[in-house]
Amino acid sequence: MADVLALVEARLCTALGEPDARASVTFIGTDRIEVLRFRTPGDGSADDLVRYATLGMSAHPMNDPTSTIADPVQGPRAELVLSVRPGAADTDQVLRPLAILAASPQVEGVVIAPGASLDIGAPLWPSAPFSSVLVAEPGGLVEDLELDAPREPVRFLPLLPMTSNEAAWKRVHGAAELQERWLARGTDLRDPHRRSVALD
């Protein structure tokens, strides 16, 4: 476990730079989950971003919840990455919600994969219009981390915050349709206060 997490942290630092803060959360019956914060060096412009990445979810493979025995070696591994614009909201309060999501494979026996919806049941941060996220395809921001066989690679899954209307629309029309709607409307998915995209 420790060797995997050391490699994961090194991959995150290579892609995002050194974290400027970190927090850890431990839930009963689970291993510790850390959340690292990375800030892009900026000048206060609209290009500035803060990224939050989990560290600990990939220590164990995710197993099919219908399996009677959890495989300790084989199975998908992942960490979660959230990118938002800093300053407009207290987004640092997202640390615990992210840790909860990262612990869900251990706690609930779920497999988190691209296209999935994850719901916290409360705002991701104070006054956030989002309580759920869409899991996007990996590979764009942080490359997959290959591990020695038979272990599967660690994938770094971007999280895209969804409003309740968007989450309901996605359940009917699917993740691809929602992402196409966001793209067509030029939606700034990193705006911590953005409104729901037009869904009519």
Side-chain angles (χ1 to χ4, degrees), residues 20-197:
D20 72 336
R22 63 199 306 151
S24 63
V25 180
T26 303
F27 304 100
I28 296 176
T30 69
D31 295 325
R32 182 180 66 180
I33 300 290
E34 288 191 279
V35 180
L36 312 184
R37 186 181 70 190
F38 301 86
R39 291 188 183 274
T40 57
D43 55 6
S45 69
D47 294 330
D48 288 358
L49 292 174
V50 59
R51 304 187 195 275
Y52 302 93
T54 64
L55 179 63
M57 179 177 164
S58 61
H60 305 284
M62 295 180 281
N63 293 127
D64 187 329
T66 62
S67 301
T68 55
I69 300 177
D71 191 319
V73 177
Q74 292 183 293
R77 295 174 189 255
E79 297 289 355
L80 308 175
V81 182
L82 174 70
S83 301
V84 293
R85 301 199 185 285
D90 187 9
T91 55
D92 281 351
Q93 296 300 314
V94 79
L95 299 179
R96 185 171 179 82
L98 281 182
I100 291 171
L101 295 179
S104 61
Q106 289 186 64
V107 175
E108 302 173 22
V110 298
V111 176
I112 296 177
S117 300
L118 308 176
D119 197 319
I120 288 293
L124 293 177
W125 52 81
S127 301
F130 324 104
S131 63
S132 61
V133 294
L134 173 65
V135 182
E137 292 289 340
L141 181 63
V142 184
E143 292 184 5
D144 293 354
L145 173 65
E146 298 290 336
L147 300 176
D148 293 336
R151 297 184 295 185
E152 294 187 25
V154 177
R155 303 203 295 169
F156 299 87
L157 303 174
L159 301 181
L160 308 177
M162 294 188 292
T163 66
S164 57
N165 286 343
E166 290 168 341
W169 198 86
K170 181 261 179 185
R171 285 193 292 272
V172 175
H173 299 278
E177 290 291 328
L178 177 59
Q179 289 180 289
E180 286 184 15
R181 183 62 59 97
W182 281 335
L183 183 62
R185 300 299 176 99
T187 307
D188 182 2
L189 298 174
R190 295 164 175 170
D191 179 353
H193 289 303
R194 74 171 181 84
R195 296 182 179 181
S196 180
V197 69

